[in-house]
Amino acid sequence: MKKTALVLLLAAACCMSMVGCKAKQNSTNNGEVIGGYVQEYAGSIDANAQKAFDKAMEDYTGGKFEPITVLGTQVVAGTNYAILCNETLMTQNAEQALKIVVIFEDLDGSASVLSVNDFSADNVLPSNASGEVGDGAWMVPETVTAPDLDKTKQAAFDKAYEEFVGSNIEVMAYLGSQVVAGTNYRYLCKVTPVVPDAVSTLQLVVVYEDLEGNASFENFYPVDIAAYIK
């Protein structure tokens, strides 16, 4: 895909995400939007989110969760944290599943689990996403990590990013690969346009690396956190 066309595609995706949030964004509190989820972290969980997560899990009797990264925060009468987690299922084989766990921390510092929600990269793709579904099996990592990539996955992302303009892109998690005539990689990313007062959005980013080691961004798919929270 040509650079100009891809930049326009990314801009459109960012606009769609922003428009989708406007109905929920009523006012601000210290720069945070009240009602809508704000993407503000990449790669790790800050001390406040980790403290809320640990507190909420003290009395939680469901599955065992390993936090990966905070996808967004929501200011209410306190704070909701939407946290991407690996869940270890209580089965004989201790199977893994990817979840978005919503933690509520009230103004007094008490925290609880509001919801546990399934998350899959496949569910982010629009129904007309040609070349993304059915052209080869996607290999999904047993345990998702953020953002510590091995050399191969990091090199593919870095190569694609070398000549990209218009937005800063930070990897939040690696979600899988697909062998084609080369390799497709999926990354969950925080995307921030390089403009004043830019609003960051969460995007599923697909990188294609050919057999000669050349890599490029192929597609950007906006992820509406609210759609995965019930």
Side-chain angles (χ1 to χ4, degrees), residues 1-12:
M1 184 179 293
K2 294 183 179 179
K3 184 191 299 184
T4 302
L6 187 55
V7 171
L8 292 174
L9 175 64
L10 178 55

Side-chain angles (χ1 to χ4, degrees), residues 1 6 156 159-161 206-209 214-219:
M1 184 179 293
L6 187 55
K159 186 68 174 179
Y161 202 11
V206 180
V207 170
Y208 169 67
E209 182 179 36
N214 301 305
S216 60
F217 290 120
E218 287 296 291
N219 282 302

Side-chain angles (χ1 to χ4, degrees), residues 12-60:
C14 290
C15 288
M16 288 171 61
S17 297
M18 293 169 64
V19 168
C21 293
K22 283 184 178 179
K24 305 174 185 177
Q25 297 176 356
N26 300 317
S27 59
T28 61
N29 180 18
N30 295 326
E32 293 185 303
V33 178
I34 296 177
Y37 274 91
V38 178
Q39 288 81 54
E40 55 183 328
Y41 303 104
S44 62
I45 296 184
D46 73 349
N48 291 332
Q50 185 68 60
K51 181 179 178 181
F53 180 86
D54 292 342
K55 185 69 175 177
M57 288 299 163
E58 286 179 0
D59 299 320
Y60 187 72

